[in-house]
Amino acid sequence: MTSVFLSSLLHPSEIVALLQFKLSQKPNFAAIIQGLDEDLRIQFICVFYLILRGLDTIEDDMTTDLDTKISYLKPFHKLIYQEGWNFTKSGPDEKDRQLLLEFDTVISAFLQLKPGHQEIIADITRRMGAGMARYATAGINVETIAEYNEYCHIVAGLVGLGLSDLFSSCGYVSSRNDLSNSMGLFLQKTNIIVDYLEDLRDKRFFWPKEIRHRYCQNLGDLIRPENKNRALQCLNDMLFNAMAHIEDVLEYLSMVKSPSCFKFCALPQVMVIATLSLLCGNYKAFTHEHIKIRRGEAIWLMKESNNIDTVAAIFRMYIRRIKNKITPSDPSSQTLALPVAK
């Protein structure tokens, strides 16, 4: 399927179809890609996403031994220049295994990009691969909030920086690394909250000890029924940590000039604030995997997120809902009032 679409980059409808195929479990993101101008899809967005998806698939595959992982993560930014290269060592159940088996077609598409775009993508891939290799060696057991921010920067903040640099090269937005980084961190921190049960099962402890030790000794203690109140307080503390990036997110979006580029950048962010509103005070975070907002709500957000005024109004609406869910006895109640009041 990959080679069918990427072998012909001059057919944007096929690029969208590729992303819809690869993102069958993420239909909202496929719709976001589809909203971009055709030249943006053709030039670099599809290729950038697929290269980082390939890198992340190697890092995320729990069946691949550590030495093999590191031997590919560190030089991945060089491998994308090697015509004909693909990766055949993914586990049989790895959901994106096919992408890596046909990665030579992604490389062919990458080599058709403008040299400046290639350089941006390769640099982000280099930095991300090096960071992933470091964490793969050390194991995932995040201690401090600073370390948490660093990890989220590696796996998501760098994506924001890369996209911002690519859009800036086309004149669609002014490049601001601090704001671009926050765009990625806001998304990744929400994903980490949603993926609590899955990561706990895989012995990956992303919720920083600096936060969780206020409520429990071990991260797994939060799923015990007798710890329900503390679990919800810890959940809300994690939620507030993510919300600290909202001001940067809205400032970045206010700088985006292209309407389709704005929607591409804004939609993931409004989906995230809606998800945080759903998660706030919701014990299902500890009993159900992959909590998602309703499809109808997602469609409404897609239709409404057309400019900075409507997006800011959406954020205010969900922030008010979050504020209303926080009880005065919750340790986060005072700090959560800060972003709500702005």
Side-chain angles (χ1 to χ4, degrees), residues 44-336:
F44 47 72
I45 296 298
C46 175
V47 176
F48 184 47
Y49 169 77
L50 290 173
I51 285 175
L52 296 188
R53 180 71 257 167
L55 178 67
D56 185 65
T57 299
I58 294 174
E59 187 267 343
D60 207 38
D61 190 344
M62 303 303 289
T63 66
T64 304
D65 67 85
L66 182 59
D67 290 341
T68 299
K69 262 187 194 183
I70 294 174
S71 69
Y72 286 98
L73 292 175
K74 287 184 175 180
F76 202 80
H77 64 289
K78 297 178 181 178
L79 296 174
I80 60 178
Y81 285 97
Q82 293 185 17
E83 291 188 71
W85 182 84
N86 53 40
F87 185 82
T88 60
K89 299 179 181 179
S90 296
D93 297 326
E94 173 55 50
K95 64 181 184 297
D96 286 325
R97 183 174 184 271
Q98 193 63 31
L99 169 64
L100 289 170
L101 288 174
E102 301 185 58
F103 206 74
D104 55 309
T105 58
V106 181
I107 292 174
S108 295
F110 169 73
L111 294 175
Q112 293 179 42
L113 299 179
K114 295 178 181 179
H117 292 159
Q118 289 182 23
E119 291 174 8
I120 292 170
I121 293 172
D123 180 60
I124 295 298
T125 304
R126 176 188 62 80
R127 294 160 68 183
M128 187 176 292
M132 286 178 169
R134 185 169 75 252
Y135 274 93
T137 302
I140 306 294
N141 190 1
V142 178
E143 296 281 338
T144 66
I145 293 174
E147 187 180 350
Y148 183 48
N149 288 336
E150 180 189 32
Y151 176 80
C152 291
H153 166 73
I154 290 168
V155 300
L158 286 173
V159 179
L161 267 60
L163 285 171
S164 187
D165 286 346
L166 289 167
F167 288 142
S168 178
S169 71
C170 299
Y172 291 127
V173 66
S174 300
S175 185
R176 279 279 306 274
N177 285 353
D178 54 335
L179 303 181
S180 305
N181 187 57
S182 283
M183 294 277 284
L185 265 62
F186 190 49
L187 299 179
Q188 183 62 24
K189 289 182 175 183
T190 302
N191 287 338
I192 285 173
I193 297 171
V194 170
D195 292 341
Y196 167 82
L197 283 175
E198 180 181 344
D199 290 331
L200 184 66
R201 184 179 63 243
D202 292 335
K203 294 182 171 56
R204 298 188 298 182
F205 308 118
F206 293 110
W207 292 31
K209 188 178 293 186
E210 185 175 340
I211 291 177
R212 67 181 191 254
H213 267 201
R214 300 168 190 165
Y215 310 97
C216 64
Q217 186 63 33
N218 300 305
L219 191 57
D221 293 343
L222 297 176
I223 61 175
R224 296 178 179 176
E226 64 269 24
N227 293 331
K228 180 177 179 179
N229 288 338
R230 286 186 172 274
L232 291 174
Q233 291 173 356
C234 186
L235 170 67
N236 291 342
D237 208 339
M238 289 289 294
L239 179 146
F240 170 65
N241 180 272
M243 289 178 65
H245 300 286
I246 288 176
E247 189 173 353
D248 283 354
V249 166
L250 292 175
E251 184 176 351
Y252 181 88
L253 292 175
S254 71
M255 296 162 50
V256 180
K257 302 171 185 177
S258 160
S260 74
C261 183
F262 176 87
K263 196 147 192 169
F264 174 85
C265 296
L267 277 176
Q269 308 297 328
V270 294
M271 297 287 184
V272 161
I273 189 61
T275 301
L276 291 177
S277 176
L278 176 63
L279 286 166
C280 183
N282 189 347
Y283 193 64
K284 286 185 178 179
F286 303 100
T287 60
H288 294 71
E289 293 189 16
H290 309 303
I291 295 177
K292 297 179 181 179
I293 62 175
R294 292 177 290 106
R295 179 172 175 80
E297 187 174 7
I299 292 172
W300 177 77
L301 289 170
M302 290 179 188
K303 290 181 178 179
E304 295 296 319
S305 303
N306 296 312
N307 57 67
I308 187 59
D309 291 333
T310 57
V311 166
I314 288 169
F315 267 83
R316 286 194 295 270
M317 178 187 73
Y318 283 114
I319 290 172
R320 282 195 296 268
R321 291 183 184 180
I322 291 170
K323 180 181 179 182
N324 290 337
K325 291 181 178 181
I326 300 296
T327 63
S329 61
D330 192 307
S332 299
S333 60
Q334 296 302 313
T335 50
L336 273 169

